[in-house]
Every structure is written in structure tokens, then in C-alpha cells.
Amino acid sequence: MMDLKGVSVGFGAAYALRDVSVSIARGERLGIVGESGSGKSMLGLTMMGMVPDAARVEGAIALDGAQLARASERVWRRHRARKVAMIFQEPMAALNPLQRLGETVMEPLQVHLGLSRAAARDRTLELFAEVGIPDPEARLRQYPHEISGGQRQRVLIALALTCDPSLLIADEPTTALDAHVALRIIDLLVNLAASRQMALVFISHDLAAVARATERIAVMYGGEVIETGPTPQVLQDPQHPYTKGLLGARPGIGGETPGRGPDGRRKRLPTIPGTVPPLSALPAGCRFSGRCPVELPHCARVRPEPHRVSGNRIATCHLLGGRA
Amino acid sequence: MTRLLTPNLVLGAALVVLVVGMAALSLVWTPHEYAQMNMRDRFAPPSDIHLLGTDQLGRDIASQLMVAARNSMTVALIAVLMGGSIGVALGLLASAIGGWVEDLIMRIADIGFAFPALLFAIMLSAVFGPSLWVAVLAIAFINIPVFARVTRGAANVIWTRDYVAAARAAGRGKFAISRDHILPNVAAPVIVQATIEFAIAILAEAALSYLGLGAQPPSPSWGRMLSEAQTLMFMAPQLAIYPGLCIMAAVLGFSLLGDALRDLTDPRLTRSRQA
Amino acid sequence: MNALLQVRAVTRRYRMPRSSILRRGPVLTAIENVSFTLERGRTLGIVGESGSGKSTLARLIMAFEAPDEGEVLFDGKNLHALSSAELRLLRRRFQMVFQDPWGSLDPRHTVSWSIAEPLRATGAGEIGRRVDEALSQVGLRPQDGSKYPHEFSGGQRQRIAIARAIVTRPALLVADEAVSALDVSVQAQILNLLMDLQEDLGLAMVFISHDLPVVACLADDVLVMRAGQAIEAGPTAALISAPRAQYTRALLAAGGLMP
């Protein structure tokens, strides 16, 4: 469906993405996990052809066989919405506060698909029902501020589905929502991917959300994908030191049960020392060197090769060995 | 860096430097004694001796313009400082206390807004007789509600910040918080407003002096020069044009500078500049 | 001896802005009849989502506002019955850490100035030495004090905010979503720091968060809030292993603790 090979996105001397290869098949759900500065949002934008003007894009981006790495904005625009759609973290910011929800969703149906007003209205009602909006008729006439955050995110999902995309990119779609609302949005996305045979790219810093939403996961650090594989396997048995550190640091996912140790003191969380360095100060070799607890002398200089751990699991670390 | 130097900023700053420079220079040097009359040399054309010529009483126009600039700047400065400090204090007070006190102060400010400065100046000069100080007081008065409103609006935003809550948790009082947290953080919009008000004050001073309510002879003022030139409009139009240009340069300069400063301190614009 | 903090049946209502000149605005009950007790040196976790009233509760405990009903007793004293001078003096004994590390430090003052603020307010001596001590307790260097907040990362800024909160050697620390804005790896560092400080200084803590797994790793007891009411409370281990309320189960699931 979509295939990225050795994609780099550079700003001056710094790389926001370096040598990223990911592919996603029809109906597949891929999670992209990372902390701030990992490049996960830039990867989402790259898949949408929406990188900032100042950026250099290298490598190959194929969408249903079409080469898009050097495609113009005009070419991308044809693909956007029709094939690739995107939803964002803050649903309020993505909706026009002065436009009724019905108009918002009907507009692309009329403009892109050339539907009549009545047909667009019917289609909007179908979409609202599909994304689980109760009483769709009444919603048509409401404004964004009149509905809850979860309902707004559903409206945006409906909007993203107007042109039946084969790939939906969701960038932190649940971060601004309350936990129990977030769970239902995740379940909705999972169901939509299955019923529509639509690929889903779920970008998030929230490991629990990604665990629930996806079947395959790509862990990013410093603009690179450092580990990828089936979601349950990666979360239960991480191979890359960064993935191990990240999972350990998040209470409730990996690690021990909380409480007090035998000495009566509370159990501390395992941590990754230091902070993510800025893009311009990332080490030339392994991006994680300098913070890695099991670093080898050459890690900071020499870039590790992706290593096939098993079947479809790949981790990029010197400790694991050479090329896949 | 280059994007900081917008045309507004460059032109505004240049005009301000020109006018302020004129005023400052007049403190130490003018081409001639500005009030020196010379009946044999009336309406002289520009020459080496009289850079811009002389007026109907043979006084050097360039010297008069320079001293008038100084008078204008002084009036505007004192008026904006007076009105500004009272307005900022009222705004901080309203914001710090809130409730009905805030409502009361802001309603009074609204009434002040509705009160025409000219009327107030005429009232004052009826009581105290016309003078430059009447102009200063009238302009200061109209500035109070403007600053009170700007300060209170900005301060109300700052009061909701977590660092103010932290200061309250630290046990600090409203006065200390207003001084240490609110005032430094509302300084930017207040300074921008002050620059714009400065331009308005120059214009107001010119208008009041034009009506005879401001600077009194022989003290020169752009507004009064304009009104004196009025009767001689067809005979010597340059007498009206020179002070007119000066008023325009000063008002335009401070207005542009204020606009440019506002753009620079607007966080939304700052963010787009960094992106 | 009194419990350090007793919250007794507090209710807080807000009047919404009026929609018409003739009618008063509707009343919103932010919290209703919430009670708990916190002993010295213990940690209470309060879990809830937006609109649960957990931040209102924090504001009542911090005496930023008063409850409409009920009372908050700190060390046996009713906070909302004290004179403002007495309250200000007592404030050094209960301090707060806020959610947003970018908004909780005044950008116009140096780090030392901000950390010293609670000392200055209550007229304590040896300000310089105590600020340096607080900086080193949170893992920063004394020379960091002369810098401005924008020179630090989010995690470091949260350390600074914690230093400000412990500089008066308080008995109680209220942390409202103190790690929510941080990346996972930084979050763990700050949680560990809070555990260190609590054990070393004998602090009692009210730790408020939407994130039950995070709360579970440092709280002795947990109070679950929803729509202004306490719907479940109990020792952390028991609450996690056998949640009674459906809502608590949803919070556990969202945190990845349950499938």
C-alpha cells in the first residue's frame, strides 16, 4: 500500500528523519511510538506529503506503486483525501468554529466527489452513523463547541473518511481525550480498519494506546525507526535498549508491580538517563548512544545495521549483530 | 534577524530619530534665537542664513520648528507618563482586587473614554487660563482610561498563570504579586500602547495649541505656527506646510514604531517567525 | 496527634456566567461531599479525568478558594477560617507543584529568584544557602540558579518547580498532574525524584493525576473521582487488583494495566 524506503527529511545539517523504511499493507494497523523529538509526527507528515517547504526529502516513497518522494504539491493533493487522510490531536483546532458539523463534512463530498447537496447530506448521515455519532440528524445542525471532545474527534474521523481513503494517519488522536473516551475512539479506529480494509497508522507517545490500537509497531528515536515488529511481541520482549528503557519507565506496561520493596522503600522506576538531545546534537552513530546503558565503545561513531531478530522483527543495535 | 526589520519599524524608527534629534539639538543649539524678530527680513526665502526662511515677523522658521519639537515632545512625554502611570496603577489594582471594585474602576474608565479631551481642555483653561500645562493635564487625563484598560486586560491573563498561583501558594500578597509578576509581564503591551499614545498626544497638543489652549506666545508650537499661518495661506503657504510636515512626521513615526513593536511582541507572530 | 490533612465533606459550586440579564447563571457543582484523611509522610493519589473536580479539590486544599460546605483542616487548623496573615504564614508548610512546566515559572525571573519566593514571602533567613540546597536536592547544580526558565527542558523545569515547593521544608506537597506534560522517560525520572524526596524529607503528598498506573507507583491510598464525587477509595494494591467500580476498571484498561 504505502512503502517508504530509506527516507530522510533534513533541515540544514540536521535530520528530522534519517533512513526510515516502513511499509504498511492494506487493512494493516501500524503503530508509531516515540517521545517528543523522535520524528514520529514528521513521519506522519511525510506520509501525507506535508513536510515543511524548507525540508529536503530523500529516499523513496511509494503509494500504490506511484513514486511520490519528489512529487509536487499538485500530485500530492490528488492523493491526499482520496487515498491518504489524516486526523490530529486537537479536534477543536481542526474544525471551523463557525461552520455547522453537517456543512463541514458535506463540503468535500460535494467538491471532491461532485455529489448533489441531498446526496452529500445522505452520505454524511451514513458516515456519522458509521463512526458512532448518536442522533446524526441533530448533529448536522450543531456547531463544534456544542459537542464533546470525543464526539468532535468522531466528526473528524467521519470527515477523513469522506473520500474513502485506503490509509488513515492518526497523529496522537486520543491524547487530548479522557481515558474512557480514548478507549472507544481506539476501538472505533480498529473496527473501521477491519470493516473498510483501510490501513491505519497510529502515531502516539502512549504505549498503552498503541498496544490496544495496532498489530505492528515501529519504535522511533532521534528520527530513526530503531525497532519494529508485531505489537505484542515488541511490548513483551523488547530487543533494543531504548525500547526496553521506554517500557520499563512507563508504569503499568512492562516492569514490576508497584508497591514497596523488602526494605520498606517504594520501588523506583527504571529510567533512561538524560534527555533527548536536540536534532542538531544527535550522535552520528547510533542515535541512542550517550544515553544507552549497554553502550559499546564504537556505538557513538558507527551506525548500527538493522538486524532481523526473528521472522518479522527487526531491531537496529550493535549488540544484536549485523544486517538483516 | 532580517525579518525583524520590517518597513514599519525602519521608517518609524527613522522618523522618530529625526524628530527627537531635532528636539534634543534645540536644547544646545538652534541656528538663530527662535523668538528674535526682524521686521526688515520678513518672509525671507530659504537661504544660507535662514535654512527654511523666516515668518511674518522675520523669525527663523527652522529654529522655531526645533524648539516647537522640544515643546511637543515634553508635553507628550509628561502627559503619557502621567496618564500612563495612573492608568497602569488603576489597571493593576482593578485586576488584583477583581469583583465589584474592578467593575467600578472599569466603568469609570469607560466614562473617561466617552469624555472628549477637547472639552476637558476648554474646561480646564476656563478655570486656570490657557497654558501648556492645561494641554498636559488634558492629554494625561484622556490617557488614563486607555492605559487602565490595556493593563487590566493583560493583567487578567497573567493572573491565571500557574506561576501566579505558585506565588500565592508561596504566601505572597496581591501587592507583591502585582509588582513582581504582573507588572513585568504586562510591560510589553503597555510600552507598545505608550508609543502609540505618544503619537496621539503630539497630535492632541498640536490641536490644542492650534485652538490657543496650549503653548502661549512666544513659546513656539507646531499647532500654533499652523494657526498663525492660516491667515497667510495664500501669501506664504510654506509657513503652514513646514509645521504640518513636522506634525505628520512625528505622528507617523511614533504610530509606525508602535505598530512594529506590537507585531514584535505578539507571541503568535513570534512563533510563526521561528517556524 | 492530628492527622496532617483532613478534608471533611467539602462541596464547591460555581455559578456560571448568566445567559440573560434577567436570569442568574446556572450553578455547577464541581465537587460534592468529598472527604479524606492524610497522615504525615503518606501519599494519597487522586485519580480522575477532566471535569472530575480533582483540580478544584487541589485549589481548596491549597486555600486558593474556599468550599461552600465542609472544611479543610491542615494540622488541625481550618484553613478557611484563618486570617489572611495567619494563612500566609502557614503556607510554607504546604506547597504545590503544577502541571505545566512551561507556565509555572515566571519567564521574567531567574530560577533562584523563583525558588526563593516562598522564603521571601515568609521572611526566612539564609535564602541563598537554602536555594542551593533545594537545587541540589532536585538534581540541579547551584550555578543553574542564575539562569532563566527558557534555558531548561520540560523535565528540568519541573525539577525547578519541585525545588521551589520544597525549599520551605513543607509537611505536605500537592502535585496536580505534575508529570502529565512530560515524556515517558522524563516522567519516570520525576516520579523517582518525588519518591526520593518523600522518603528523605518525610513529606506527605497529595498526587493528582488522570493516569492510574502513574498514581499507583507512588500512592499508599487512591481516591477515584468522577463528576465531582469520590466513587471509590482504598489502599492502592487492593484497588488495582480488585477494582469495584466499572469506571476504575476503564481507567486501568486505559493505562494498559488490564486488557
Side-chain angles (χ1 to χ4, degrees):
Chain A
M1 235 259 49
M2 183 168 250
D3 198 17
L4 273 66
K5 275 216 168 62
V7 171
S8 297
V9 173
F11 295 88
Y15 281 94
L17 289 181
R18 188 170 76 165
D19 200 10
V20 170
S21 299
V22 283
S23 63
I24 179 159
R26 188 162 285 278
E28 192 185 19
R29 288 172 284 124
L30 171 69
I32 295 176
V33 171
E35 298 182 274
S36 51
S38 64
K40 60 184 190 303
S41 287
M42 186 56 74
L43 181 55
L45 292 176
T46 307
M47 289 176 165
M48 280 293 281
M50 284 173 26
V51 292
D53 291 339
R56 286 188 318 280
V57 182
E58 296 154 18
I61 303 171
L63 177 61
D64 274 345
Q67 286 299 323
L68 292 173
R70 265 157 292 277
S72 67
E73 171 66 17
R74 239 189 57 223
V75 175
W76 265 112
R77 213 177 306 155
R78 254 204 339 267
H79 290 285
R80 254 180 250 150
R82 295 291 174 93
K83 284 184 178 160
V84 198
M86 192 161 185
I87 57 173
F88 299 91
Q89 173 173 346
E90 196 34 77
M92 194 64 199
L95 286 167
N96 179 348
L98 300 178
Q99 200 173 34
R100 292 176 201 273
L101 301 172
E103 295 294 329
T104 303
V105 180
M106 283 160 65
E107 192 178 279
L109 289 167
Q110 291 173 275
V111 174
H112 292 306
L113 302 183
L115 295 186
S116 71
R117 215 182 138 71
R121 190 169 178 282
D122 291 345
R123 183 78 190 111
T124 302
L125 287 175
E126 284 172 32
L127 285 168
F128 277 5
E130 188 180 357
V131 298
I133 293 175
D135 197 3
E137 285 274 358
R139 292 287 172 275
L140 288 180
R141 284 182 307 279
Q142 286 187 305
Y143 289 96
H145 69 266
E146 297 178 301
I147 59 173
S148 69
Q151 293 299 315
R152 282 198 281 265
Q153 195 60 286
R154 286 176 195 265
V155 170
L156 282 172
I157 294 171
L159 180 63
L161 296 178
T162 46
C163 298
D164 294 314
S166 40
L167 170 63
L168 178 65
I169 299 170
D171 189 358
E172 302 269 9
T174 57
T175 306
L177 304 176
D178 280 338
H180 65 286
V181 180
L183 290 181
R184 284 193 224 120
I185 294 289
I186 290 173
D187 294 345
L188 169 67
L189 290 171
V190 170
N191 291 338
L192 288 172
S195 61
R196 291 175 157 256
Q197 273 301 293
M198 175 182 74
L200 174 70
V201 172
F202 190 97
I203 302 172
S204 183
H205 73 287
D206 183 350
L207 290 160
V210 173
R212 191 178 178 99
T214 66
E215 48 202 352
R216 204 155 60 82
I217 193 171
V219 184
M220 295 193 68
Y221 183 87
E224 294 183 7
V225 173
I226 50 103
E227 179 159 5
T228 170
T231 306
Q233 289 182 31
V234 172
L235 294 185
Q236 272 151 32
D237 179 28
Q239 293 294 313
H240 196 283
Y242 174 69
T243 317
K244 287 180 187 166
L246 191 66
L247 286 168
R250 166 66 214 179
I253 303 269
E256 314 175 60
T257 46
R260 292 181 189 274
D263 56 352
R265 289 172 72 88
R266 286 203 165 275
K267 291 181 203 157
R268 299 298 192 262
L269 291 161
T271 58
I272 302 172
T275 49
V276 182
L279 285 184
S280 53
L282 284 167
C286 174
R287 297 300 210 194
F288 192 48
S289 60
R291 298 181 72 195
C292 182
V294 290
E295 191 170 333
L296 300 171
H298 60 285
C299 282
R301 282 176 292 111
V302 185
R303 282 184 58 186
E305 298 282 344
H307 172 75
R308 191 171 294 280
V309 181
S310 65
N312 44 8
R313 294 199 54 188
I314 294 173
T316 308
C317 174
H318 284 303
L319 282 173
L320 298 171
R323 185 159 263 303
Chain B
M1 196 55 215
T2 49
R3 307 211 20 206
L4 296 180
L5 295 173
T6 55
N8 276 5
L9 185 68
V10 173
L11 184 60
L15 288 172
V16 166
V17 166
L18 182 79
V19 178
V20 172
M22 247 168 83
L25 186 62
S26 78
L27 287 171
V28 290
W29 177 82
T30 50
H32 295 266
E33 176 56 39
Y34 70 88
Q36 182 65 55
M37 290 185 269
N38 185 346
M39 285 308 180
R40 275 170 304 173
D41 209 8
R42 299 163 65 202
F43 302 112
S47 65
D48 291 351
I49 306 160
H50 297 289
L51 206 57
L52 298 175
T54 60
D55 68 2
Q56 70 278 18
L57 299 175
R59 294 171 296 191
D60 182 55
I61 292 178
S63 304
Q64 288 203 66
L65 287 176
M66 285 169 70
V67 177
R70 187 216 299 167
N71 285 342
S72 272
M73 297 296 121
T74 313
V75 169
L77 191 69
I78 295 173
V80 171
L81 278 181
M82 265 170 59
S85 353
I86 298 172
V88 167
L90 283 175
L92 288 177
L93 187 73
S95 180
I97 295 176
W100 66 268
V101 177
E102 178 174 12
D103 287 345
L104 182 73
I105 292 177
M106 295 328 289
R107 288 302 83 76
I108 294 173
D110 286 344
I111 296 169
F113 256 120
F115 206 83
L118 215 56
L119 212 61
F120 186 66
I122 292 168
M123 215 174 75
L124 278 182
S125 54
V127 180
F128 300 107
S131 79
L132 216 49
W133 285 107
V134 165
V136 170
L137 279 181
I139 298 166
F141 179 76
I142 56 164
N143 267 304
I144 294 173
V146 178
F147 280 95
R149 187 176 273 191
V150 168
T151 305
R152 177 262 199 167
N156 279 354
V157 175
I158 305 295
W159 272 102
T160 66
R161 294 281 151 85
D162 279 350
Y163 55 77
V164 171
R168 291 180 64 194
R172 309 207 75 198
K174 286 186 167 176
F175 177 78
I177 292 175
S178 291
R179 183 194 60 208
D180 287 348
H181 294 288
I182 312 294
L183 186 58
N185 282 291
V186 300
V190 167
I191 289 169
V192 169
Q193 194 64 39
T195 315
I196 293 167
E197 290 307 312
F198 202 84
I200 296 173
I202 289 169
L203 203 59
E205 187 275 332
L208 291 174
S209 295
Y210 177 85
L211 295 173
L213 301 174
Q216 297 302 308
S219 180
S221 146
W222 292 333
R224 211 165 45 73
M225 287 170 79
L226 209 56
S227 82
E228 283 171 8
Q230 198 166 234
T231 49
L232 308 162
M233 201 59 163
F234 294 104
M235 206 175 130
Q238 74 276 13
L239 295 187
I241 290 171
Y242 289 136
L245 282 176
C246 283
I247 294 169
M248 199 191 78
V251 173
L252 189 66
F254 281 101
S255 300
L256 288 177
L257 189 65
D259 278 351
L261 288 177
R262 165 153 48 207
D263 291 350
L264 280 181
T265 54
D266 189 327
R268 280 167 301 175
L269 297 169
T270 312
R271 215 174 297 133
S272 68
R273 242 194 325 273
Q274 283 165 349
Chain C
M1 198 160 148
N2 293 320
L4 183 66
L5 178 69
Q6 284 173 277
V7 172
R8 288 190 185 156
V10 291
T11 295
R12 177 78 174 112
R13 303 186 191 92
Y14 294 102
R15 187 168 289 285
M16 305 304 284
R18 55 180 69 207
S19 51
S20 140
I21 290 187
L22 299 176
R23 220 171 314 142
R24 303 185 73 181
V27 171
L28 181 109
T29 305
I31 46 177
E32 191 171 6
N33 196 22
V34 172
S35 303
F36 63 82
T37 301
L38 178 65
E39 303 290 341
R40 286 176 172 71
R42 304 269 296 175
T43 299
L44 173 72
I46 297 179
V47 189
E49 304 186 306
S50 56
S52 65
K54 59 189 200 301
S55 289
T56 303
L57 196 51
R59 299 179 61 77
L60 292 180
I61 298 170
M62 291 306 296
F64 289 155
E65 49 191 77
D68 294 302
E69 287 159 34
E71 52 191 17
V72 179
L73 303 183
F74 180 81
D75 210 1
K77 297 185 200 70
N78 183 348
L79 286 181
H80 303 284
L82 294 174
S83 75
S84 69
E86 288 171 317
L87 176 62
R88 259 205 249 171
L89 213 60
L90 192 61
R91 280 191 180 283
R92 71 170 80 178
R93 302 202 45 222
F94 56 99
Q95 289 284 318
M96 182 160 177
V97 180
F98 298 84
Q99 170 171 8
D100 177 14
W102 302 101
S104 66
L105 297 169
D106 190 334
R108 310 246 166 204
H109 294 292
T110 64
V111 165
S112 289
W113 192 97
S114 288
I115 295 176
E117 193 165 28
L119 295 175
R120 212 175 299 120
T122 51
E126 294 189 289
I127 288 182
R129 191 186 59 74
R130 291 177 66 176
V131 168
D132 288 352
E133 186 189 53
L135 277 168
S136 69
Q137 277 173 325
V138 299
L140 294 169
R141 299 163 305 162
Q143 56 265 41
D144 288 328
S146 55
K147 296 187 195 161
Y148 283 86
H150 69 261
E151 298 174 62
F152 294 90
S153 69
Q156 289 171 313
R157 293 169 64 109
Q158 208 57 316
R159 286 175 192 271
I160 295 166
I162 293 171
R164 173 177 58 193
I166 60 165
V167 75
T168 55
R169 298 170 193 149
L172 171 68
L173 193 65
V174 177
D176 186 5
E177 297 279 12
V179 299
S180 308
L182 305 174
D183 271 325
V184 173
S185 64
V186 182
Q187 191 176 3
Q189 294 171 7
I190 299 295
L191 288 171
N192 286 350
L193 172 65
L194 288 172
M195 292 185 224
D196 290 344
L197 292 173
Q198 167 167 47
E199 284 169 4
D200 297 346
L201 308 177
L203 276 173
M205 192 150 55
V206 174
F207 187 90
I208 300 171
S209 175
H210 69 283
D211 194 337
L212 186 46
V214 163
V215 169
C217 74
L218 48 69
D220 299 299
D221 300 284
V222 177
L223 180 77
V224 181
M225 289 194 62
R226 184 178 199 188
Q229 293 180 322
I231 59 164
E232 185 164 5
T236 308
L239 189 122
I240 286 182
S241 54
R244 276 179 287 122
Q246 181 64 39
Y247 183 68
T248 311
R249 274 194 279 274
L251 291 177
L252 284 170
L257 279 181
M258 272 167 58

